Amino acid sequence: MDFGLSGRVALVAAASRGIGYAAARELAREGARVFLCSRDEARAAEAARRISDETGAECVGLRADVTSDEDAARFVGEAHDRTGRVDVCVTNAGGSPATTFETTELEQYRRAFELNALSAVRLARLVVPLMRGRGWGRIINVTSISVKQPIDGLLLSNTVRAGLTGWAKTLSTELAPEGITVNNVAPGWTLTERQDEVAEARGRAEGKTKGEMIAGWASQVPMRRLAGAEEIAAAIAFLASERASYVTGVTLQVDGGWVRGLF
Ligand code: NAD
């Protein structure tokens, strides 16, 4: 299937590793000109260089913290200045800490809202005017299966990402007449560098090996394995594509069947 992404300019936030990196690489493979960011300039540049080397596509890595207005504006501005367009924007960020109601301070809710909701809103406010001018655009938010089935112990993700999902649905309706789609990709357990670190740390605390921790998570998934980041990236690339032209306002879970609900 030709995704029709050749020559399109795609921004991928928080992409020096993990799902963001895999998304940037997949879009580059499809021929998009990719601009990625992360908080560390050297890591962003190194990630972009690896993607360029592997795919032959243009890929530029910039330093930007998605919780900063100034950084986000610089990120989008630089991509637009260099290319004159922004067609695709993948909003992504790090995850919020695992907490329960008892262990969560009010300030942590504020930080989680900033990291996992406002970061996407901020980028959309910057890219939508640029997409409007061309009558075509794709916004894809990386969220979590917690929006379809809240996960025990992830109170902040369960709370904040549900809000973002409501926002994205509203935005999708407002932008639908203008050729701009807004969708979410909701990953299930995905074996990124972060999950690898979490498995190591939680395993130490519970007296288990990393492998036992990962096997325990996998046993909760009907497919009996975790996702690879490239499997999340494939869904992101599809939603970014020309072929997804009539898909908007949806949350596409990529979870090996973990969510037990019908929708
Ligand atoms: P990761 O930690 O492997 O990668 C996160 C990336 O974001 C890194 O490149 C990091 O440098 C960058 N980053 C973090 N905070 C940033 C900021 N403020 N500004 C700019 N860049 C920033 O994480 P991942 O596993 O790829 O997860 C990505 C997102 O998907 C997270 O929000 C996570 O909660 C969510 N998610 C992950 C899983 C999973 O199993 N891995 C499942 C559901 C949801």
Side-chain angles (χ1 to χ4, degrees):
M1 192 192 308
D2 178 4
F3 276 6
L5 283 167
S6 185
R8 297 250 181 229
V9 171
L11 269 52
V12 186
S16 64
R17 67 177 202 175
I19 292 167
Y21 176 82
R25 186 175 57 180
E26 192 68 31
L27 292 167
R29 278 192 188 134
E30 292 297 325
R33 305 168 68 186
V34 175
F35 289 76
L36 63 82
C37 79
S38 83
R39 288 162 301 177
D40 183 277
E41 186 158 10
R43 278 205 288 267
E46 167 60 17
R49 189 193 57 71
R50 272 191 285 144
I51 290 172
S52 289
D53 287 353
E54 186 186 323
T55 63
E58 177 183 353
C59 185
V60 178
L62 300 169
R63 195 205 71 75
D65 184 328
V66 292
T67 64
S68 154
D69 291 348
E70 275 175 24
D71 283 12
R74 203 166 8 84
F75 175 45
V76 174
E78 197 155 334
H80 189 254
D81 287 351
R82 288 199 199 188
T83 63
R85 58 196 289 175
V86 172
D87 302 297
V88 176
C89 181
V90 180
T91 77
N92 183 40
S96 292
T99 63
T100 62
F101 176 72
E102 280 300 314
T103 62
T104 310
E105 298 294 334
L106 209 48
E107 183 53 29
Q108 289 178 288
Y109 287 88
R110 291 197 184 96
R111 281 208 296 270
F113 187 64
E114 186 62 67
L115 183 64
N116 293 129
L118 276 189
S119 59
V121 175
R122 177 177 291 114
L123 283 170
R125 286 170 57 85
L126 291 161
V127 299
V128 164
L130 307 175
M131 292 172 173
R132 269 200 169 118
R134 304 180 66 86
W136 198 97
R138 301 280 187 267
I139 296 172
I140 300 120
N141 307 300
V142 177
T143 65
S144 166
I145 43 166
S146 65
V147 304
K148 297 231 173 180
Q149 185 177 316
I151 302 169
D152 294 349
L154 292 186
L155 173 107
L156 291 168
S157 178
N158 297 343
T159 306
V160 167
R161 294 188 199 276
L164 182 74
T165 305
W167 167 82
K169 183 69 183 168
T170 311
L171 184 64
S172 74
T173 308
E174 291 186 15
L175 295 179
E178 301 185 63
I180 303 169
T181 67
V182 183
N183 294 291
N184 312 305
V185 167
W189 293 104
T190 308
L191 196 51
T192 58
E193 291 89 332
R194 175 167 176 266
Q195 284 300 2
D196 203 61
E197 292 158 8
V198 170
E200 181 99 51
R202 286 211 198 142
R204 248 196 321 273
E206 294 178 26
K208 293 182 182 163
T209 65
K210 187 171 79 175
E212 285 168 340
M213 290 303 297
I214 291 171
W217 294 333
S219 70
Q220 300 167 28
V221 182
M223 283 192 180
R224 299 287 181 263
R225 65 177 181 84
L226 274 55
E230 68 286 353
E231 293 178 290
I232 313 300
I236 293 171
F238 169 67
L239 290 171
S241 77
E242 191 61 55
R243 293 306 180 95
S245 49
Y246 205 58
V247 181
T248 197
V250 308
T251 294
L252 175 55
Q253 72 223 38
V254 186
D255 66 350
W258 185 84
V259 170
R260 299 304 199 268
L262 293 180
F263 303 106

